[in-house]
Amino acid sequence: MNPYLDDDLLALAETARRYATDRVAPGFLERDRTRVLDRALMKEMGEMGFIAPELPESVGGQGLGRLAAGVIHEEIARADLSISYINLLASLNGQILAEHGKPEVAGPWLKRLTQGQALLAIALTEPRGGSDAANLRLRVERQGDHYVINGEKTSISAADQCDAVVVFGRTGTVDSGAHGVTALLVPADVPGLTRSRFDCHGQRAIGRGSLFFENVRVPVDHRLGDENRGFVQVMQGFDFSRALIGLQVLAVARIALEETWAHVAERQAFGKPLAAFQGVSHTLADHDTQVEAARLLCLQALWLKDRGAPHSAEAAMCKWWAPKLAYDTVHQCLLMFGHGGYDRGPMEQRLRDLLGFQIGDGTAQIMKTIIARTRAGRAAVPA
Ligand SMILES: Cc1cc2nc3c(=O)[nH]c(=O)nc-3n(C[C@H](O)[C@H](O)[C@H](O)COP(=O)(O)OP(=O)(O)OC[C@H]3O[C@@H](n4cnc5c(N)ncnc54)[C@H](O)[C@@H]3O)c2cc1C
């Protein structure tokens, strides 16, 4: 119980947990080996209303608050962080399409997205760097009623498994920075687009890879937002996904803590349960405390978003704190299982899966810069 989650949200979380326990958790380890995102699960999640429920009903959502998306993200991530990428990418891209897409182009994609029939990736990072995102260079030139795209995006989640990509490219001059970037919706089967897959440390079911654009043509009506305003308008969506990521990774930490508390209460050393040693129980209590607190911060960020209140700093706090905390927590949990924790299995996979979120969607340094800018002002914190 907490002030952010009412009975309806708790009931939704309960339904999502039952589904995730029955349907998502059983394939957790197997999908890490096969590296294939289960499309049948995605479709089921769509049918259950678990994908982007916060979107308006007119575009296929249920008009629920962002906290509803948050509790679903938690429950799916608790079962498999990789699978919860389906929810994350849908909430992030769904918001972008719903707010900035042309209804006749974005509408059909949004329906497929919420029904679990389409997976959309988001492509910002380039080989020359991801942190300095406004400096991106993918070339986008207008030719009549089309845009022509040339260049490379890299480290893109679901690069080779997605059906379409929200792509950020440069329509302005290099010097125009954030004010010369345009966002486009690019179907993955357009001629000239090729894709690769990396051999990732974790999050292997969703995977990452590169996108290579060679004279890829998309109609002008596939633009999201205004020309040259893609960065400024469309990037707003990241505040939402940062809070969701916080909830996802903390849900992984929470299930790891639950399993570890049970283990240390049971397993004996020196004639006592491991939990009798303060070196064990206080370490877990420390992490348990912080995971609880960080979760409340994430819920607070979503609550602020639902009320249209500023929440960029809170979202950035969620994004740097939660992934580090979750990683450190699962690391300690793994150690409490001794050599058994080090074997291939849920705990070591959780640790591998979590690490990616200390980098993906912006590193801790970049998040702290956002917080500093909010507090001290942009002029005082230029980059
Ligand atoms: C699991 C995962 C999933 C991802 N998914 C996507 C995706 O779907 N779409 C997408 O576009 N990208 C994605 N990325 C890429 C990710 O967003 C970038 O890796 C990230 O933004 C950092 O960019 P970079 O790797 O180029 O590192 P760089 O920008 O080269 O930074 C390297 C290091 O320098 C630090 N640094 C850079 N600038 C500063 C500064 N001003 N002050 C202090 N420190 C600084 C960074 O914090 C980092 O530690 C993903 C990455 C991972 C690991």
Side-chain angles (χ1 to χ4, degrees):
M1 296 277 288
N2 64 56
Y4 300 108
L5 303 183
D6 60 18
D7 287 346
D8 288 346
L9 288 167
L10 291 174
L12 177 63
E14 178 59 34
T15 308
R17 177 162 307 187
R18 265 203 308 277
Y19 170 78
T21 307
D22 290 350
R23 298 288 301 144
V24 182
F28 173 52
L29 300 178
E30 178 63 13
R31 286 187 293 268
D32 184 65
R33 279 189 288 275
T34 61
R35 303 198 305 152
V36 176
L37 196 81
D38 191 334
R39 288 264 170 169
L41 283 183
M42 189 165 101
K43 197 156 172 291
E44 279 175 14
M45 290 205 294
E47 285 161 5
M48 299 281 292
F50 291 161
I51 300 180
E54 70 282 1
L55 288 174
E57 289 180 38
S58 55
V59 298
Q62 298 165 64
L64 299 178
R66 273 61 167 226
L67 284 162
V71 298
I72 293 168
H73 275 70
E74 283 185 304
E75 299 304 337
I76 305 297
R78 181 183 159 93
D80 184 342
L81 187 64
S82 250
I83 289 291
S84 69
Y85 250 98
I86 293 170
N87 309 85
L88 181 71
L89 287 171
S91 282
L92 176 59
N93 288 311
Q95 174 177 278
I96 292 172
L97 261 60
E99 288 182 10
H100 303 291
K102 311 260 177 312
E104 60 278 16
V105 176
W109 278 106
L110 282 163
K111 289 259 154 55
R112 289 178 62 201
L113 190 79
T114 49
Q115 288 167 4
Q117 291 170 3
L119 183 68
L120 266 65
I122 185 153
L124 200 56
T125 305
E126 299 185 354
R128 62 191 300 280
S131 301
D132 187 7
N135 204 7
L136 57 83
R137 299 290 168 85
L138 184 87
R139 289 198 311 284
V140 176
E141 283 174 67
R142 181 142 180 187
Q143 288 182 5
D145 54 3
H146 279 75
Y147 287 107
V148 181
I149 314 171
N150 278 288
E152 180 182 345
K153 291 286 181 185
T154 197
S155 191
I156 308 306
S157 297
D160 69 332
Q161 302 199 75
C162 67
D163 302 293
V165 199
V166 171
V167 177
F168 293 82
R170 182 152 299 284
T171 33
T173 61
V174 170
D175 296 339
S176 58
H179 302 285
V181 171
T182 299
L184 299 171
L185 174 63
V186 181
D189 58 359
V190 285
L193 175 58
T194 50
R195 311 188 262 171
S196 71
R197 177 80 174 257
F198 302 163
D199 187 9
C200 293
H201 176 68
Q203 306 183 356
R204 291 170 63 83
I206 190 84
R208 285 178 310 130
S210 289
L211 303 169
F212 305 95
F213 298 83
E214 203 180 332
N215 293 319
V216 168
R217 294 170 68 82
V218 291
V220 167
D221 63 8
H222 281 49
R223 193 179 65 222
L224 301 164
D226 301 328
E227 194 167 285
N228 291 326
R229 301 259 301 139
F231 201 82
V232 181
Q233 291 172 333
V234 180
M235 287 287 281
Q236 309 282 338
F238 282 89
D239 285 343
F240 180 29
S241 60
R242 285 172 184 155
L244 293 174
I245 288 170
L247 290 174
Q248 286 175 289
V249 296
L250 293 169
V252 177
R254 176 52 61 199
I255 188 172
L257 281 166
E258 287 168 11
E259 289 173 6
T260 309
W261 280 121
H263 171 74
V264 299
E266 184 72 25
R267 189 170 172 94
Q268 305 259 327
F270 302 95
K272 294 179 194 161
L274 291 176
F277 302 103
Q278 291 186 352
V280 168
S281 57
H282 286 193
T283 301
L284 289 180
D286 279 348
H287 285 279
D288 206 316
T289 307
Q290 292 181 60
V291 166
E292 202 63 22
R295 179 177 184 239
L296 291 174
L297 176 64
C298 298
L299 294 174
Q300 161 89 1
L302 293 181
W303 182 86
L304 288 169
K305 181 168 176 68
D306 271 341
R307 275 147 192 79
H311 58 286
S312 292
E314 289 78 5
M317 290 173 192
C318 300
K319 176 59 190 55
W320 84 257
W321 188 24
K324 180 176 185 334
L325 174 61
Y327 186 85
D328 293 347
T329 301
V330 174
H331 184 192
Q332 287 305 319
C333 290
L334 184 152
L335 296 178
M336 300 295 179
F337 281 84
H339 70 87
Y342 184 62
D343 291 340
R344 286 266 182 223
M347 218 49 103
E348 72 82 35
Q349 189 177 322
R350 286 179 191 136
L351 198 63
R352 284 189 287 110
D353 284 350
L354 285 170
L355 184 58
F357 272 130
Q358 290 193 43
I359 306 167
D361 208 293
T363 63
Q365 286 96 334
I366 300 307
M367 293 305 117
K368 289 176 189 177
T369 297
I370 293 170
I371 298 164
R373 271 185 187 161
T374 314
R375 298 294 194 242
R378 203 177 181 90
V381 188

